[in-house]
Amino acid sequence: MRRRDVVAGIGSLGALAGAGSVVRYGLPSIDGGTAAADDDEDEEVEEWPMEVETIEARGSEAGTMTVPSENVMVLMFFVNGCGNCQAQTGRVADARAQLRDDHGDAVSFLSLTYDSREQIPPDELREWWETHGGNGYLSYDAADPMHEYAAVGYPVTIVIDPDGEEHWRDTGITDGSRIVSAVEDALEATAADAENESAENGTDGAGEPGADGTGENGSDGTN
């Protein structure tokens, strides 16, 4: 199922400066909207996977990116004026460097700011990103992913699989090694799920007619 239990996200309200995002954006609701948006009966159904716009920055290209992607993904939600976010940006970049060395392109990194272009224009955001060691895809489009994953607080770092299911999160400053460990756990779980699905579908050749040299009913072709 797509929707995650929002309890973990709501529980982060008391962590660090996390309550700030609730004041600015509203409390995430079970159906992915905000408390204010729930009153709008004409609210559009969120598309899945979500598409966000990325900007040109270190490790990021201008274009679009889907959440979830076809591989394991690390999401970081932040605001530029948050000291903990500044520290976390470099730690996420460190985790990205290690994971790229160990796993190549099997992991995607996307950082999303709650700030708007009016609050921090792209040129200033790029400078902020480089100053604090950022490296990876960068986007202003935090709203829909924030609602989907109940990312109440900042910085919030979340690991999701290709189906969009959350495997791990932390609010505040997180050591890069913990992110690496969480991602590798998600990679292992994703690989195990793929193997189980293949076995269930018989795509490993087991049980297919003629796979062992016998006929469909187990005969060897002799009378």
Side-chain angles (χ1 to χ4, degrees):
M1 56 185 296
R2 269 190 50 205
R3 298 295 178 184
R4 270 138 303 273
D5 188 342
V6 301
V7 173
I10 293 174
S12 67
L13 284 171
L16 302 173
S21 64
V22 178
V23 174
R24 298 173 62 184
Y25 298 99
L27 183 66
S29 65
I30 297 295
D31 64 357
T34 62
D38 289 341
D39 296 332
D40 185 1
E41 296 181 357
D42 297 326
E43 181 182 3
E44 294 183 2
V45 177
E46 179 184 292
E47 294 184 0
W48 187 261
M50 297 169 282
E51 186 173 276
V52 302
E53 181 180 356
T54 57
I55 69 168
E56 184 178 353
R58 185 164 60 188
S60 177
E61 298 177 355
T64 59
M65 194 171 189
T66 59
V67 179
S69 68
E70 59 187 15
N71 48 25
V72 170
M73 174 177 274
V74 178
L75 304 174
M76 185 186 77
F77 298 85
F78 72 96
V79 294
N80 73 298
C82 161
N84 288 327
C85 299
Q86 294 170 7
Q88 183 68 356
T89 296
R91 294 176 183 231
V92 171
D94 290 343
R96 176 181 180 269
Q98 181 175 335
L99 287 163
R100 285 179 70 87
D101 286 343
D102 295 342
H103 302 283
D105 295 328
V107 186
S108 299
F109 281 75
L110 174 64
S111 295
L112 306 107
T113 179
Y114 294 127
D115 293 310
S116 68
R117 292 173 182 266
E118 288 72 28
Q119 291 169 313
I120 179 168
D123 286 344
E124 293 182 19
L125 181 58
R126 277 189 284 271
E127 182 179 356
W128 182 95
W129 187 242
E130 294 190 12
T131 297
H132 299 293
N135 200 338
Y137 280 95
L138 184 60
S139 175
Y140 284 98
D141 294 346
D144 285 346
M146 177 194 74
H147 294 152
E148 175 64 28
Y149 292 101
V152 186
Y154 48 80
V156 179
T157 309
I158 301 174
V159 175
I160 63 174
D161 66 20
D163 292 327
E165 293 298 325
E166 177 181 332
H167 284 251
W168 176 88
R169 79 162 60 204
D170 199 8
T171 302
I173 301 174
T174 307
D175 191 78
S177 62
R178 291 189 62 198
I179 300 172
V180 170
S181 178
V183 167
E184 290 182 335
D185 287 346
L187 287 170
E188 290 180 5
T190 300
D193 288 344
E195 289 179 4
N196 291 336
E197 184 176 353
S198 295
E200 290 173 1
N201 294 333
T203 54
D204 58 355
E208 293 185 2
D212 58 357
T214 64
E216 184 174 357
N217 295 321
S219 66
D220 60 1
T222 61
N223 294 324

